[in-house]
Amino acid sequence: MSDKPSVLFVCVHNAGRSQMADGWLRHLTGDTVEVRSAGSEPADQINPVAVEAMREVGIDITDKTPVRLTWDAAEASDVIVTMGCGDACPVFPGKRYEDWKLTDPAGQPLDVVRQVRDDIKTRVLALLADLRQHQ
């Protein structure tokens, strides 16, 4: 891993889970970690309930747009965190993978999305501690 590790968060629509994880990691690290997120089947826009849940904790993800997962983005990442993208997630030898089992926030009420947001924060903090330990 380089001086500046890179993490790619991947979910199906790149509209909820991966965007919240992206928001948390950017918020917690500033520019010390390169953060990407993508989806195997990107939605047209970010889930507004995910935006609201993140706004509640002072993180603004309104400027984010769902993007399609590319080979280049995965190849350029040290750690790839998948969140339910199934077989659409590419596998690269030598990459570190984590698969986070998380409730899909699509169509969920705010109280459920808050729980997902908080679960993601806990996982991002653990990932960040591990990244710092291995730098």
Side-chain angles (χ1 to χ4, degrees):
M1 215 175 299
S2 67
D3 289 342
K4 186 173 181 177
S6 58
V7 177
L8 170 63
F9 295 106
V10 183
C11 67
V12 177
H13 300 298
N14 191 221
R17 295 167 288 188
S18 57
Q19 294 286 1
M20 288 191 287
D22 179 305
W24 274 120
L25 191 55
R26 287 178 194 279
H27 177 75
L28 294 166
T29 64
D31 65 354
T32 62
V33 175
E34 188 173 341
V35 184
R36 301 176 180 94
S37 69
S40 54
E41 297 175 25
D44 294 332
Q45 64 180 16
I46 292 185
N47 179 337
V49 183
V51 170
E52 178 58 28
M54 293 301 284
R55 183 179 293 125
E56 289 179 350
V57 294
I59 299 172
D60 182 7
I61 61 172
T62 56
D63 65 335
K64 300 294 181 182
T65 303
V67 298
R68 181 165 304 282
L69 174 63
T70 65
W71 184 270
D72 291 342
E75 190 173 40
S77 300
D78 296 313
V79 180
I80 300 173
V81 179
T82 58
M83 305 173 193
C85 63
D87 294 338
C89 292
V91 176
F92 290 91
K95 297 293 178 186
R96 174 179 164 189
Y97 284 87
E98 290 191 17
D99 185 41
W100 294 355
K101 306 288 186 213
L102 297 162
T103 300
D104 186 348
Q108 298 290 339
L110 184 56
D111 62 324
V112 172
V113 177
R114 285 180 182 127
Q115 292 170 12
V116 175
R117 173 201 67 204
D118 295 346
D119 188 5
I120 290 171
K121 179 184 181 185
T122 299
R123 292 168 189 251
V124 166
L125 284 168
L127 174 64
L128 181 56
D130 190 62
L131 288 174
R132 287 180 172 155
Q133 185 177 20
H134 290 98
Q135 270 188 311

